[in-house]
mmCIF file of all heavy atoms in Angstrom:
data_model
loop_
_atom_site.group_PDB
_atom_site.id
_atom_site.type_symbol
_atom_site.label_atom_id
_atom_site.label_comp_id
_atom_site.label_asym_id
_atom_site.label_seq_id
_atom_site.Cartn_x
_atom_site.Cartn_y
_atom_site.Cartn_z
ATOM 1 N N ALA O 1547 127.448 45.649 108.365
ATOM 2 C CA ALA O 1547 127.394 47.108 108.398
ATOM 3 C C ALA O 1547 126.881 47.625 109.732
ATOM 4 O O ALA O 1547 126.190 46.878 110.459
ATOM 5 C CB ALA O 1547 126.453 47.591 107.315
ATOM 6 N N PRO O 1548 127.234 48.876 110.102
ATOM 7 C CA PRO O 1548 126.679 49.448 111.359
ATOM 8 C C PRO O 1548 125.174 49.380 111.308
ATOM 9 O O PRO O 1548 124.548 49.529 110.285
ATOM 10 C CB PRO O 1548 127.208 50.898 111.303
ATOM 11 C CG PRO O 1548 128.417 50.823 110.421
ATOM 12 C CD PRO O 1548 128.128 49.757 109.385
ATOM 13 N N GLY O 1549 124.614 49.139 112.489
ATOM 14 C CA GLY O 1549 123.142 49.012 112.602
ATOM 15 C C GLY O 1549 122.663 47.608 112.419
ATOM 16 O O GLY O 1549 121.493 47.303 112.628
ATOM 17 N N THR O 1550 123.589 46.691 111.996
ATOM 18 C CA THR O 1550 123.181 45.321 111.772
ATOM 19 C C THR O 1550 124.124 44.373 112.468
ATOM 20 O O THR O 1550 124.190 43.148 112.155
ATOM 21 C CB THR O 1550 123.200 44.992 110.235
ATOM 22 O OG1 THR O 1550 124.475 45.102 109.723
ATOM 23 C CG2 THR O 1550 122.233 45.913 109.481
ATOM 24 N N VAL O 1551 124.888 44.863 113.433
ATOM 25 C CA VAL O 1551 125.899 43.992 114.121
ATOM 26 C C VAL O 1551 125.191 42.924 114.944
ATOM 27 O O VAL O 1551 124.228 43.154 115.642
ATOM 28 C CB VAL O 1551 126.751 44.902 115.091
ATOM 29 C CG1 VAL O 1551 127.750 44.032 115.878
ATOM 30 C CG2 VAL O 1551 127.551 45.913 114.231
ATOM 31 N N LEU O 1552 125.711 41.724 114.763
ATOM 32 C CA LEU O 1552 125.135 40.558 115.440
ATOM 33 C C LEU O 1552 125.657 40.437 116.875
ATOM 34 O O LEU O 1552 126.762 40.864 117.138
ATOM 35 C CB LEU O 1552 125.464 39.281 114.675
ATOM 36 C CG LEU O 1552 124.956 39.256 113.235
ATOM 37 C CD1 LEU O 1552 125.602 38.093 112.511
ATOM 38 C CD2 LEU O 1552 123.485 39.198 113.180
ATOM 39 N N PRO O 1553 124.915 39.792 117.760
ATOM 40 C CA PRO O 1553 125.381 39.600 119.125
ATOM 41 C C PRO O 1553 126.278 38.352 119.283
ATOM 42 O O PRO O 1553 126.348 37.710 120.331
ATOM 43 C CB PRO O 1553 124.105 39.474 119.941
ATOM 44 C CG PRO O 1553 123.143 38.821 119.039
ATOM 45 C CD PRO O 1553 123.503 39.400 117.657
ATOM 46 N N PHE O 1554 126.936 37.971 118.188
ATOM 47 C CA PHE O 1554 127.855 36.852 118.175
ATOM 48 C C PHE O 1554 129.191 37.395 117.640
ATOM 49 O O PHE O 1554 129.206 38.128 116.667
ATOM 50 C CB PHE O 1554 127.379 35.758 117.191
ATOM 51 C CG PHE O 1554 126.110 35.112 117.617
ATOM 52 C CD1 PHE O 1554 124.889 35.605 117.155
ATOM 53 C CD2 PHE O 1554 126.069 34.031 118.463
ATOM 54 C CE1 PHE O 1554 123.665 35.046 117.521
ATOM 55 C CE2 PHE O 1554 124.867 33.441 118.874
ATOM 56 C CZ PHE O 1554 123.639 33.929 118.352
ATOM 57 N N SER O 1555 130.298 36.983 118.243
ATOM 58 C CA SER O 1555 131.606 37.372 117.705
ATOM 59 C C SER O 1555 131.890 36.585 116.420
ATOM 60 O O SER O 1555 131.880 35.361 116.450
ATOM 61 C CB SER O 1555 132.702 37.128 118.769
ATOM 62 O OG SER O 1555 133.938 37.461 118.198
ATOM 63 N N MET O 1556 132.131 37.325 115.338
ATOM 64 C CA MET O 1556 132.392 36.694 114.056
ATOM 65 C C MET O 1556 133.879 36.773 113.690
ATOM 66 O O MET O 1556 134.254 36.448 112.614
ATOM 67 C CB MET O 1556 131.582 37.366 112.970
ATOM 68 C CG MET O 1556 130.059 37.264 113.151
ATOM 69 S SD MET O 1556 129.578 35.503 113.112
ATOM 70 C CE MET O 1556 127.892 35.634 112.725
ATOM 71 N N ASP O 1557 134.667 37.236 114.640
ATOM 72 C CA ASP O 1557 136.093 37.389 114.416
ATOM 73 C C ASP O 1557 136.858 36.956 115.652
ATOM 74 O O ASP O 1557 136.484 37.311 116.755
ATOM 75 C CB ASP O 1557 136.404 38.831 114.090
ATOM 76 C CG ASP O 1557 137.829 39.056 113.631
ATOM 77 O OD1 ASP O 1557 138.785 38.833 114.399
ATOM 78 O OD2 ASP O 1557 138.036 39.453 112.468
ATOM 79 N N PRO O 1558 137.896 36.137 115.525
ATOM 80 C CA PRO O 1558 138.630 35.638 116.688
ATOM 81 C C PRO O 1558 139.320 36.781 117.513
ATOM 82 O O PRO O 1558 139.591 36.564 118.666
ATOM 83 C CB PRO O 1558 139.667 34.644 116.133
ATOM 84 C CG PRO O 1558 139.696 34.903 114.654
ATOM 85 C CD PRO O 1558 138.405 35.516 114.291
#
Side-chain angles (χ1 to χ4, degrees):
T1550 65
V1551 176
L1552 301 171
F1554 297 92
S1555 177
M1556 297 299 202
D1557 189 295

